[in-house]
């Protein structure tokens, strides 16, 4: 390296020509350099999540997490598998080797998970998808001297109007509490009609069903 520096120090013309060549080459390549305000980042990670309502972390680990980890054993292209068992929820992160065809490996992981037998009947269907990084491009704050419900309704209206724009792909409302229905039961009324609190809870439970209703094909895609 020192010999090269000494040679350039003695040959000023060659050093100047090399500098000019680098500058001209940089100016020529500037228009061809791609620029993105929000570049896409592809993660070589596949996530598997399973909802198991009412189960403890130990039950989730034994009934779901261990079965998924065993299903991933021997699958080519996997670098590491990390699992988390929490109350009512199992989460498994499958990290792939660099350079793997993620779409192909995603299909392999989904096939392995679908082939698992013996999941509890109360467990929901596993959700297998590629990990994505959510990037916030713009945050809009809505405030005013009104109640929380009015602010939430205004935020949802703004969300719907922004989502309708063709340039925008996704809009979400944050920092709001979900709607909640409260039922206050009078003890005197229960005694008058000979109804217990468990009877009221059972009636509400029978009327509150969470079932899939199919899908609707619209111009913007399929809505579940």
């Amino acid at each position: 390296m020192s010999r090269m520096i000494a040679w350039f120090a003695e040959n000023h013309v060659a050093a100047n020509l090399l500098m000019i060549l680098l500058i001209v080459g940089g100016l020529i390549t500037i228009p061809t350099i791609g620029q993105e305000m929000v570049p896409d980042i592809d993660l070589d990670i596949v996530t598997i999540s399973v909802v198991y309502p009412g189960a403890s972390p130990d039950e989730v680990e034994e009934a779901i997490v261990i079965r998924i980890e065993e299903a991933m054993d021997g699958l080519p292209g996997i670098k590491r598998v990390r699992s988390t068992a929490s109350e009512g929820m199992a989460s498994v992160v499958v990290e792939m080797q660099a350079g793997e065809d993620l779409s192909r490996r995603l299909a392999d992981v989904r096939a392995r998970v679908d082939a698992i037998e013996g999941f509890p009947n109360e467990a929901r269907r596993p959700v297998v998808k590629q990990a994505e990084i959510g990037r916030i491009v713009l945050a809009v704050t809505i405030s005013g001297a009104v109640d929380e419900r009015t602010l939430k309704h205004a935020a949802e209206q703004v969300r719907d109007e922004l989502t309708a724009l063709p340039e925008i792909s996704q809009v979400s409302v944050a920092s709001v509490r979900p709607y909640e229905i409260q039922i206050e039961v009078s003890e005197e009324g229960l005694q008058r009609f000979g109804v217990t609190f468990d009877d009221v809870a059972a009636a509400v439970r029978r009327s509150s069903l969470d079932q899939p209703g199919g899908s609707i094909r619209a111009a913007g895609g399929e809505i579940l």
Side-chain angles (χ1 to χ4, degrees), residues 195 198-211:
V195 179
D198 292 337
D199 294 335
V200 177
V204 174
R205 191 178 298 109
R206 287 194 302 268
S207 301
S208 302
L209 302 179
D210 185 8
Q211 295 180 340

Side-chain angles (χ1 to χ4, degrees), residues 48 61 64-66 68-69 72 80-86 90-94:
I48 307 168
E61 180 181 9
I64 296 178
V65 171
I66 294 179
I68 295 177
E69 290 178 345
M72 295 300 105
R80 182 172 54 181
V81 177
R82 292 179 284 113
S83 305
T84 303
S86 56
S91 177
V92 180
V93 177
V94 182

Side-chain angles (χ1 to χ4, degrees), residues 35-92:
Q35 297 180 358
E36 294 183 11
M37 294 184 61
V38 186
D40 294 330
I41 301 176
D42 295 329
L43 298 178
D44 296 331
I45 294 176
V46 176
T47 62
I48 307 168
S49 57
V50 181
V51 177
Y52 188 6
S56 65
D58 292 338
E59 293 173 335
V60 172
E61 180 181 9
E62 182 178 355
I64 296 178
V65 171
I66 294 179
R67 296 174 184 269
I68 295 177
E69 290 178 345
E70 292 175 348
M72 295 300 105
D73 188 22
L75 188 65
I78 292 182
K79 179 180 179 181
R80 182 172 54 181
V81 177
R82 292 179 284 113
S83 305
T84 303
S86 56
E87 184 174 356
M89 184 70 180
S91 177
V92 180

Side-chain angles (χ1 to χ4, degrees), residues 16-180:
N16 292 333
L17 288 176
L18 179 60
M19 181 184 65
I20 294 173
L21 179 63
L22 293 175
I23 294 175
V24 173
L27 294 175
I28 293 175
T29 56
I30 284 178
T32 62
I33 297 177
Q35 297 180 358
E36 294 183 11
M37 294 184 61
V38 186
D40 294 330
I41 301 176
D42 295 329
L43 298 178
D44 296 331
I45 294 176
V46 176
T47 62
I48 307 168
S49 57
V50 181
V51 177
Y52 188 6
S56 65
D58 292 338
E59 293 173 335
V60 172
E61 180 181 9
E62 182 178 355
I64 296 178
V65 171
I66 294 179
R67 296 174 184 269
I68 295 177
E69 290 178 345
E70 292 175 348
M72 295 300 105
D73 188 22
L75 188 65
I78 292 182
K79 179 180 179 181
R80 182 172 54 181
V81 177
R82 292 179 284 113
S83 305
T84 303
S86 56
E87 184 174 356
M89 184 70 180
S91 177
V92 180
V93 177
V94 182
E95 184 177 351
M96 300 296 177
Q97 297 282 355
E100 289 288 334
D101 186 354
L102 190 58
S103 60
R104 179 181 177 183
R105 295 308 175 199
L106 177 62
D108 294 340
V109 171
R110 184 176 287 111
R112 289 285 186 96
V113 173
D114 291 340
I116 297 176
E117 297 181 355
F119 276 157
N121 295 330
E122 297 80 5
R124 305 285 177 82
R125 183 178 179 84
V127 177
V128 183
K129 63 180 181 179
Q130 179 185 356
E132 299 178 351
I133 296 180
R135 299 180 297 270
I136 300 178
V137 179
L138 177 66
V140 179
T141 302
I142 299 176
S143 62
V146 293
D147 58 276
E148 181 180 357
R149 183 175 182 178
T150 303
L151 286 176
K152 183 178 181 179
H153 179 72
E156 292 174 345
Q157 184 176 358
V158 172
R159 176 201 59 191
D160 296 339
E161 293 179 358
L162 291 176
T163 306
L165 298 176
E167 299 85 1
I168 297 178
S169 59
Q170 183 177 4
V171 182
S172 61
V173 179
S175 302
V176 294
R177 295 184 296 179
Y179 290 115
E180 183 180 80

